[in-house]
Amino acid sequence: ILTRVLTADEYGELSLLMTVYALLLPILSIALPQYVFRSFFDSSEEFSSRLQNGLSTVLAWTAVGNILAISVSAAAFLLNFLSMVQASACIVIVVSASLNSLFQIRLLLFNAEGKAKSFVTFQISYSLLLFVITLASLFFLQAGSFSRVLGVLVADIIFAILAFREIKRTFGAKVVFPNSFSNSLDFLKFGGGLVPHLIASVLLSSLDKVIIASKMTMSDLAGYAIAVQFTSVLMIFTQGLSKEWSRYYLANRGGSRVMLRGLTLVGIISGAGVVIYLLKDVFFFIFVGDGFSVNPTVIVFLLIGQIFHSIYMIVSIEITYLKKTHILSSLTLLSLFLNLMVSFALVDSYGTVGVAIGTMTGMAAKLI
């Protein structure tokens, strides 16, 4: 809908703002949702205290972030670097990213508790509200590229309130001054080690498009972006499996059947990748049409890369359990570096296929 209403420049501006929003999420939350999920499987007596300390620490951190965002955006407006609308949008995405951590915490706690129906209901409700507000802003407020920004703001405000009420009711957590320095330090070590990993993961999903935009045509970029969206269907499938796997693994770590189930999951993911590739012609006929050129070789390399990444998500749970999150960050930064080097080396000779090989190489190195 957005690509049919917005101009190319407006859609580019929207994409840039949402990329910044995605980068802000781990920075402002300090990976608190992931820490809370991991802590759920430790001592139940300490969980509420750890949750409270984490919430209080992140609240103080995001308050500083919001003050800084307002100050920088105001200065950029006064110096004519940004328009009033652009400066306001920058402030809005910082506020929204600050609130989103509460929504993510409630989601991951539903996952930890094994409440799949509640997880799905909460996630779909958020997405539906975001969809409705975005379209209302687009058609009634004529907000253009900022319609998604307004949708994210409204969705994050409402679901932050709902999530906090649920967290307080279910786990008795409050926002208070941290009462245990050791718990706060434990959280900051975990989150500080994981944040580079999360940021690099966002960059991994956008770096290839930046390279193509700088070296090739927008038509090439459009075809590659469609291939990425198509192969991402595998990630939608495997993210659901990996969430259940992470809960099962942390609850049964060391059991004799854990390895067998993990290997079975690897086989299912690999088989799903083959099925998705075989369905590519049907997908493009229904959703894409004849106006875009998508190289099937690009799809092959991107799908293989997605399979590598999906298996990595399974085996890396043990590193998260050991709280050695700095290892995950090192692996993802290595993947990002290799992706960049290989993509730049091959893009002039092989075009989008070379960039896809770069993506696959980065994912393979991380898994190995």
Side-chain angles (χ1 to χ4, degrees), residues 43 78 107 134-135 205 207 228 243 285 307 330 350 366:
S43 171
L78 293 174
L107 267 185
T134 298
L135 292 190
S205 66
L207 181 67
V228 170
K243 288 184 186 301
F285 175 76
I307 292 172
S330 299
Y350 298 99
K366 186 165 66 168

Side-chain angles (χ1 to χ4, degrees), residues 4 34 40 42 76 89 93 103 124 140 143 147 150 159 181 191 201 205 217 223 244 252 277 283 311 346 361:
R4 284 160 173 76
Q34 291 79 7
F40 181 86
D42 284 337
I93 61 173
F103 168 69
I124 290 179
F140 296 114
S147 55
L150 294 175
F159 275 83
F181 177 75
S201 296
S205 66
T217 68
E244 175 59 19
N252 300 276
Y277 178 77
F283 176 87
I311 299 172
L346 298 181
T361 303

Side-chain angles (χ1 to χ4, degrees), residues 249-269:
Y249 182 88
L250 293 176
N252 300 276
R253 181 176 175 268
S256 59
R257 302 186 65 184
V258 171
M259 181 64 75
L260 179 60
R261 289 202 177 190
L263 290 172
T264 302
L265 200 54
V266 169
I268 292 172
I269 290 170

Side-chain angles (χ1 to χ4, degrees), residues 28 61-71 91-92 94-96 98:
L28 292 173
W61 171 243
T62 53
V64 173
N66 280 274
I67 292 171
L68 184 63
I70 292 171
S71 302
I91 295 171
V92 165
V94 174
V95 173
S96 299
S98 302

Side-chain angles (χ1 to χ4, degrees), residues 125-193:
S125 299
Y126 175 90
S127 300
L128 183 61
L129 180 62
L130 172 60
F131 180 75
V132 170
I133 299 300
T134 298
L135 292 190
S137 302
L138 183 66
F139 292 113
F140 296 114
L141 299 181
Q142 300 294 309
S145 58
F146 302 104
S147 55
R148 175 56 64 88
V149 175
L150 294 175
V152 166
L153 176 64
V154 173
D156 281 338
I157 289 174
I158 292 176
F159 275 83
I161 295 170
L162 293 174
F164 183 72
R165 289 179 62 183
E166 276 281 306
I167 293 169
K168 183 177 180 182
R169 180 180 63 83
T170 307
F171 302 100
K174 305 173 185 175
V175 177
V176 295
F177 187 79
N179 55 28
S180 171
F181 177 75
S182 62
N183 278 345
S184 295
L185 185 61
D186 183 59
F187 158 55
L188 290 173
K189 285 173 63 178
F190 180 95

